[in-house]
Amino acid sequence: MNMVFLGPPGAGKGTYAKRLVEMLNIPHISTGDMFREAVASKSELGKKVEEILKRGDLVPDDLTNSIVKDRLSKEDCKNGFILDGFPRTVAQAKALDEIMRSLGKDLDYVIYFEVDEEEVVKRISNRRICSNCGKIYNLITLPPKVDGKCDVCGGNLYQREDDKEEVVRKRYKVYMENTYPVIEYYQKSNKLFTVNGALDVDSVIKEVLNIIRR
Ligand code: AP5
């Protein structure tokens, strides 16, 4: 099952993808995570994208398309994947069509999680992430049992550098200008499904499962 998760920053794409990949046994491919890993490892790619991520701007399409093409060609994607955070421009959506064609695959579902700007800012300012296993917390809706520590592995929780309110608002603006047209692009196909991302996490996951089990 080949799926794309679309939605503004903080819509919960990463949270839902992490839960669903366990149920569906397919990989979660997040371009944001790939770029953050590149920055942390100080690779050539990391040096190119570090400042872009800090500002909340988009990484150029050619760099992004090429890492996605490499990743989707890997063996673990043969039974499907959840692509989170890509495509983010209409040019990336067209590139993804081309990548899928070249791999002899097709997209099955594009799921759009609809959430407004104020909810996004509230969620992201309270987001904390485990530095060890990547589990995503929220100080209001999903707090850890012990302050600052991951429930699963005991790792330290941290706040992303691009999660400051002014950067979040910039990311939302970038999303409305560049990524919202991607929803319109997929509306022309019969693959786009809209889910109310303002619901609680379990209800959103249930909605997604209803869509893919229909
Ligand atoms: P990326 O990492 O993809 O960030 P994003 O799309 O802005 O999304 P987030 O990770 O912030 O949010 P999410 O929707 O995954 O929400 P989460 O589940 O964490 O990209 C970062 C940067 O990389 C970009 O700015 C850009 O520079 C670059 N980049 C990445 N892809 C690119 C591309 N294709 N092209 C160019 N550049 C690219 O949840 C958020 C919080 O809300 C958590 O605390 C969670 O616990 C909570 N929460 C989640 N769901 C719910 C719910 N239903 N109810 C209540 N709380 C909830």
Side-chain angles (χ1 to χ4, degrees), residues 16-196:
Y16 316 136
K18 282 183 201 309
R19 289 263 298 268
L20 286 158
V21 292
E22 284 173 18
M23 298 178 199
L24 304 170
N25 205 19
I26 52 177
H28 168 209
I29 300 171
S30 154
T31 42
D33 285 349
M34 288 158 95
F35 289 135
R36 280 185 291 279
E37 279 157 24
V39 171
S41 70
K42 301 190 191 308
S43 66
E44 279 310 305
L45 173 66
K47 286 179 203 153
K48 282 187 194 150
V49 303
E50 186 168 11
E51 290 306 313
I52 300 176
L53 262 67
K54 266 192 204 157
R55 291 197 304 269
D57 284 325
L58 292 182
V59 173
D61 287 340
D62 54 344
L63 272 183
T64 312
N65 295 343
S66 116
I67 64 160
V68 170
K69 186 171 185 189
D70 286 351
R71 184 64 189 88
L72 293 184
S73 310
K74 295 221 156 62
E75 180 65 16
D76 66 338
C77 295
K78 73 174 191 308
N79 293 327
F81 51 79
I82 297 179
L83 200 43
D84 158 11
F86 182 94
R88 252 177 157 96
T89 63
V90 171
Q92 290 182 11
K94 290 181 178 164
L96 180 59
D97 287 345
E98 195 45 52
I99 294 168
M100 295 300 278
R101 243 193 311 277
S102 72
L103 295 171
K105 296 179 182 186
D106 208 357
L107 279 183
D108 298 305
Y109 302 98
V110 177
I111 307 206
Y112 163 44
F113 301 98
E114 200 173 23
V115 183
D116 68 39
E117 182 175 356
E118 292 317 308
E119 177 68 15
V120 156
V121 172
K122 193 168 92 189
R123 284 185 187 178
I124 293 189
S125 54
N126 288 295
R127 170 166 58 190
R128 299 292 182 273
I129 302 169
C130 175
S131 55
N132 184 45
C133 72
K135 186 170 163 61
I136 302 167
Y137 292 88
N138 188 284
L139 298 182
I140 297 171
T141 57
L142 191 70
K145 292 192 183 98
V146 177
D147 208 19
K149 296 281 173 196
C150 177
D151 297 350
V152 180
C153 70
N156 291 325
L157 305 187
Y158 74 99
Q159 189 167 22
R160 264 171 49 179
E161 268 209 68
D162 59 348
D163 278 357
K164 298 179 197 105
E165 180 170 341
E166 69 274 18
V167 184
V168 175
R169 292 206 186 267
K170 164 84 178 293
R171 283 160 56 202
Y172 190 85
K173 188 167 172 276
V174 168
Y175 162 80
M176 287 308 289
E177 285 169 8
N178 297 275
T179 312
Y180 200 75
V182 176
I183 293 157
E184 290 160 351
Y185 177 84
Y186 285 121
Q187 228 148 21
K188 292 178 197 134
S189 70
N190 56 356
K191 289 172 188 147
L192 185 80
F193 296 85
T194 301
V195 172
N196 179 3

